[in-house]
Amino acid sequence: MFDAVVIEKEGSGQQSVAVRAMTDDMLPEGDVTVRVEWSTLNYKDALALTGRGAIVRQFPMVPGVDFAGCVEQSSCASFAVGDRVLLNGWGVGERHWGGLAEKARVKSEWLTPVPAGMTTRQTMELGTAGYTAMLCVEALRERGVTPESGPVVVTGATGGVGSLAVMLLAGRGYHVVAVTGRAEESDWLKTLGAAEILPRASLSQPGRPLEKARWAGAVDVAGGQVLANICASMVYGGVVTACGLASSMEFPATVAPFILRGVSLIGIDSVMCPQERREKMWTLLAQEISFEKIMVTEISLDEAVSAAADLLDGKISGRVLVRLQR
Ligand code: NDP
């Protein structure tokens, strides 16, 4: 028997969430069974657990878009019993049972070996948030944004993606402007490497099609008006990476920044990102992250639902790590 968080849909359309005792024969199909050691709560998991977003595509569902642990059973050539593996994305926790369980059975092609020098716990201190932050940071570098190009702005700076993007960019020598709705976390953001703190409210109201040119690069987790205002404030040739919708799914912008300043808007998707690029991101994370600076809240499976509400209500800074083994 093992424990898992299970989301079910009632006849009324309401969802229920509970920690349930499961048996191996209940696990979905897959060629690798993993003894999960650590999972995390990402924004998407919080939406799934609270039912505040339509994340789960079929019920019953074990949520959790990422996890790390040890291979317990394998019928594929690429992973052997005892291998340390991690998984993020591929629809796990949405269409296929995910990581908020003591065991997971998945397709071997979704698994990534834990990078050398990292523990399974460390991989989930980063989780999908860290890997997405690195996708954004690398997208900026690949498009020629260097520390000499000018400041880089990061929104949702106290959240998972944002805080790790601040740390990664500062580590590479960029002048980082951290946008946050939580001024009280300014000191922590500075220890991560933020050079300037900007109140979220300064970007939340409708602005002009073109604002004063301020930033050479951007990592945006907010979407909505915040993203529109960021695009309007980029320097000529600036690059914006858009990965989130913490503010809104909308994009109330004009084309002015794109056709008058040559600004690029780059979409970042972590879920279906090809395996080769994932492994590259995880290797870079192993080299560049200062784990002692990450703010981690560790919880048990039983605490996942209340922590999910706290995450969406802006009561948690940094990362939420879920402990699966006692
Ligand atoms: P977190 O909840 O950890 O962080 C989100 C942060 O956004 C908050 O901490 C807050 O930071 C900020 N925020 C909250 N509400 C608003 C608002 N109304 N306007 C502007 N900013 C706001 O989430 P994650 O870091 O895990 O994820 C961030 C976003 O990125 C989510 O939308 C998520 O779905 C998306 N995402 C996308 C991925 C992809 O593949 N494209 C992968 C991973 C995440 P502060 O208080 O500092 O302002």
Side-chain angles (χ1 to χ4, degrees):
M1 301 288 277
F2 65 93
D3 283 348
V5 173
V6 182
I7 305 178
E8 285 178 284
K9 196 112 178 174
E10 317 277 325
S12 61
Q14 282 287 98
Q15 75 171 36
S16 67
V17 189
V19 177
R20 294 199 192 289
M22 319 278 279
T23 51
D24 281 18
D25 60 355
M26 296 164 88
L27 285 167
E29 292 206 348
D31 51 355
V32 178
T33 306
V34 179
R35 179 178 181 271
V36 180
E37 295 169 0
W38 301 98
S39 184
T40 75
L41 278 194
N42 294 282
Y43 193 85
K44 208 181 229 181
D45 302 318
L47 289 176
L49 283 163
T50 57
R52 293 192 208 170
I55 301 297
V56 175
R57 301 295 165 189
Q58 60 190 55
F59 298 87
M61 177 57 58
V62 174
V65 302
D66 48 20
F67 64 79
C70 252
V71 172
E72 192 178 85
Q73 279 179 353
S74 170
S75 57
C76 75
S78 40
F79 293 101
V81 172
D83 283 354
R84 296 177 322 136
V85 292
L86 67 92
L87 185 148
N88 51 271
W90 300 119
V92 167
E94 301 176 54
R95 293 184 183 82
H96 186 100
W97 286 11
L100 291 178
E102 290 170 338
K103 282 191 193 188
R105 185 173 291 148
V106 295
K107 291 185 181 176
S108 50
E109 59 261 38
W110 295 342
L111 291 167
T112 301
V114 169
M118 271 169 116
T119 62
T120 50
R121 187 183 201 277
Q122 285 173 326
T123 64
M124 288 300 111
E125 287 180 18
L126 303 174
T128 300
Y131 148 75
T132 304
M134 185 55 95
L135 284 171
C136 295
V137 169
E138 274 292 281
L140 294 178
R141 184 192 64 76
E142 288 160 358
R143 285 159 183 85
V145 180
T146 67
E148 291 69 41
S149 308
V152 174
V153 66
V154 178
T155 61
T158 67
V161 177
S163 61
L164 293 163
V166 169
M167 185 196 294
L168 290 167
L169 287 162
R172 290 185 177 196
Y174 290 90
H175 180 101
V176 182
V177 180
V179 178
T180 182
R182 281 177 267 189
E184 66 277 15
E185 297 286 16
S186 297
D187 287 346
W188 173 56
L189 290 172
K190 285 183 182 158
T191 67
L192 293 180
E196 295 176 53
I197 312 291
L198 203 62
R200 188 203 293 166
S202 66
L203 289 171
S204 300
Q205 298 306 315
R208 292 173 297 180
L210 287 178
E211 298 282 358
K212 183 179 171 217
R214 291 193 275 177
W215 302 308
V219 173
D220 179 59
V221 308
Q225 193 62 58
V226 173
L227 177 59
N229 287 336
I230 282 178
C231 290
S233 304
M234 300 305 288
V235 303
Y236 193 89
V239 182
V240 180
T241 55
C243 72
L245 41 59
S247 167
S248 167
M249 181 81 114
E250 303 299 316
F251 184 41
T254 77
V255 296
F258 311 113
I259 63 173
L260 297 176
R261 287 192 187 156
V263 170
S264 301
L265 179 56
I266 309 298
I268 301 294
D269 169 57
S270 66
V271 178
M272 301 307 289
C273 179
Q275 188 62 25
E276 196 182 330
R277 190 163 174 78
R278 284 168 189 266
E279 289 185 18
K280 182 181 170 200
M281 297 306 129
W282 280 104
T283 303
L284 288 171
L285 286 165
Q287 293 162 1
E288 296 184 33
I289 286 287
S290 306
F291 284 98
E292 70 284 359
K293 289 186 184 170
I294 303 177
M295 197 183 284
V296 178
T297 305
E298 187 180 311
I299 62 168
S300 67
L301 215 47
D302 295 313
E303 294 165 305
V305 174
S306 64
D310 286 349
L311 188 90
L312 295 181
D313 294 340
K315 294 181 185 163
I316 298 179
S317 296
R319 297 281 296 139
V320 182
L321 188 66
V322 186
R323 182 182 60 253
L324 273 312
Q325 305 296 330
R326 278 151 281 199

